Amino acid sequence: MTNSIETNKKRKEIIITGFGGQGIILIGRIMGKTAAIGDHMESTMVQSYGPESRGGACSAQVIISDKNIHFPYIKSPDILACMSQSGYDKYKASIKTGNTILVDQDLVRYNKKAEVDCFSIPATRMAEELGKTMMANIIMLGFVTAVTKVISMDAAKSTVAESVPKGTGELNIKAFDAGCYYGLAALKGGEKKVTGLTGAGL
């Protein structure tokens, strides 16, 4: 996969939500690290957990900008990526016209709005087909990367390889690529044309 998509150089505020144990914070760390080191941008990340470290609600707030970032908290995200229904329910009201919502379609019921770009991916199901449910977060990362272009694909892929446990790099890259391909297909042809990417398409 080439890095043919140019990275968006403007400020973007991203919230990734889900449950503790899904690797939500890792998505935020990889996005921030990719932006700062790979794409030479400024980035910040704030993470939050519910009372439980595993299974409770958690989120990562990432800001990426070509200018200095003076405040790391987000009120109205440009991009909202949800891997839990509670995360979507909590933040959906903060999404404004022209923003983008991305969800794991097997975990989140969402309402499409004409003024908001909505994209969905069966990330958890695709991870199960890869044999590693825990890699749903990396599939979602690839999907977010391809759809939003907020970080570059090649830099993100390198950061994934550096950030995952030793011995899992190849499979994580495969998961990232699967998310990217799904996202690129979604941009080109809509969700109906990309459903065939699950199963044998992986």
Side-chain angles (χ1 to χ4, degrees), residues 107-167:
L107 303 179
V108 180
R109 296 186 310 276
Y110 66 103
N111 299 317
K112 283 194 172 184
K113 297 180 179 179
E115 69 275 19
V116 175
D117 292 327
C118 298
F119 297 89
S120 65
I121 181 173
T124 300
R125 196 185 332 155
M126 291 167 71
E128 289 172 353
E129 291 168 355
L130 277 175
K132 293 288 183 181
T133 306
M134 295 299 293
M135 291 184 183
N137 64 329
I138 301 300
I139 292 173
M140 178 59 84
L141 172 64
F143 185 60
V144 172
T145 300
V147 170
T148 67
K149 308 175 188 65
V150 70
I151 52 176
S152 64
M153 285 189 217
D154 287 349
K157 188 182 294 189
S158 296
T159 308
V160 168
E162 296 167 0
S163 304
V164 297
K166 288 183 179 178

Side-chain angles (χ1 to χ4, degrees), residues 4-102:
S4 58
I5 296 178
E6 292 185 6
T7 304
N8 189 331
K9 296 298 183 184
K10 297 179 181 178
R11 178 186 173 104
K12 292 293 182 185
E13 299 186 350
I14 307 119
I15 294 180
I16 307 117
T17 71
F19 296 119
Q22 285 181 307
I24 298 300
I25 304 304
L26 181 60
I27 296 176
R29 286 182 185 161
I30 291 175
M31 292 188 74
K33 186 176 179 181
T34 298
I37 298 175
D39 294 333
H40 309 293
M41 305 273 284
E42 301 292 327
S43 69
T44 63
M45 190 193 86
V46 176
Q47 60 191 50
S48 67
Y49 295 94
E52 309 88 356
S53 61
R54 191 172 188 85
C58 71
S59 68
Q61 297 187 14
V62 180
I63 300 176
I64 296 172
S65 176
D66 58 351
K67 297 186 171 89
N68 291 337
I69 301 166
H70 301 290
F71 186 71
Y73 294 95
I74 298 171
K75 290 185 177 178
S76 179
D78 301 288
I79 298 163
L80 175 62
C82 300
M83 295 188 72
S84 72
Q85 188 67 47
S86 60
Y88 172 78
D89 291 341
K90 179 177 181 179
Y91 291 106
K92 64 182 180 182
S94 65
I95 292 295
K96 308 300 181 187
T97 300
N99 294 162
T100 303
I101 296 177
L102 306 101

